[in-house]
Amino acid sequence: MRGNESINSMSLKYGGMTGIGLIIYFLLMKVLGLTHVLELRFFNFVILVVGVLFAIRHYRTVSNGLVDYLEGFGMGFLTSLISSAIFSSFLYIYLRVLDPSFMTYLIQNAPLGSYLTPFAASFAIMIEATASGSVITLLGLQYSRKVLVMRNHA
């Protein structure tokens, strides 16, 4: 179960769940009236960490504890890319169609807001989340490797 197809299916599964988690969190913040509190965006990172680390953990489980570094990185990168594509697509539709007044708020209050469009804002989120996911993946693989090495030497 270590072929490219299984890595792709794991990435799709965990990336999809993570993307949906990000959307639910965003909508929850909207309902609670907290979308203007930029510091709460930190929890987007937490959701992404959970999604990528669960994907790595699942990959390690199905491969009998052996994690190929390049395959693991590819899977983590793809997981974060899928989740960020789902969330940024939602964000584009939200800013463009569902709540254009929030786009106006961002233009008036965000740094460099005058340059923002729904596409630019959602694309920036996609790049940020994919880059963050790559770093999370690298750290998660290092941790996973240390755990495996420690177990083998115990």
Side-chain angles (χ1 to χ4, degrees), residues 13-151:
K13 175 183 174 183
Y14 287 97
M17 289 190 302
T18 304
I20 291 169
L22 290 167
I23 292 169
I24 290 170
Y25 177 66
F26 178 83
L27 292 174
L28 179 64
M29 292 298 99
K30 182 66 177 172
V31 167
L32 296 175
L34 298 172
T35 52
H36 65 283
V37 182
L38 295 178
E39 292 80 9
L40 291 175
R41 285 187 58 215
F42 171 75
F43 289 105
N44 287 346
F45 182 76
V46 171
I47 293 168
L48 190 59
V49 166
V50 169
V52 170
L53 293 182
F54 269 102
I56 291 171
R57 182 174 153 214
H58 181 76
Y59 173 69
R60 189 176 70 218
T61 300
V62 299
S63 59
N64 298 319
L66 302 173
V67 177
D68 179 86
Y69 202 78
L70 190 56
E71 285 181 357
F73 180 74
M75 191 208 49
F77 176 80
L78 192 55
T79 299
S80 63
L81 181 65
I82 290 168
S83 67
S84 65
I86 290 169
F87 181 64
S88 64
S89 297
F90 162 78
L91 190 61
Y92 175 79
I93 293 168
Y94 184 84
L95 294 173
R96 182 90 177 164
V97 178
L98 300 176
D99 191 3
S101 63
F102 188 59
M103 185 70 229
T104 303
Y105 171 81
L106 291 175
I107 290 170
Q108 294 171 351
N109 296 297
L112 302 174
S114 61
Y115 297 102
L116 285 178
T117 64
F119 177 79
S122 58
F123 185 73
I125 294 294
M126 184 171 174
I127 296 299
E128 176 187 355
T130 303
S132 297
S134 297
V135 172
I136 294 164
T137 299
L138 289 171
L139 295 173
L141 287 171
Q142 285 299 322
Y143 173 77
S144 179
R145 189 173 129 185
K146 285 181 181 179
V147 168
L148 185 61
V149 169
M150 290 170 59
R151 287 184 183 158

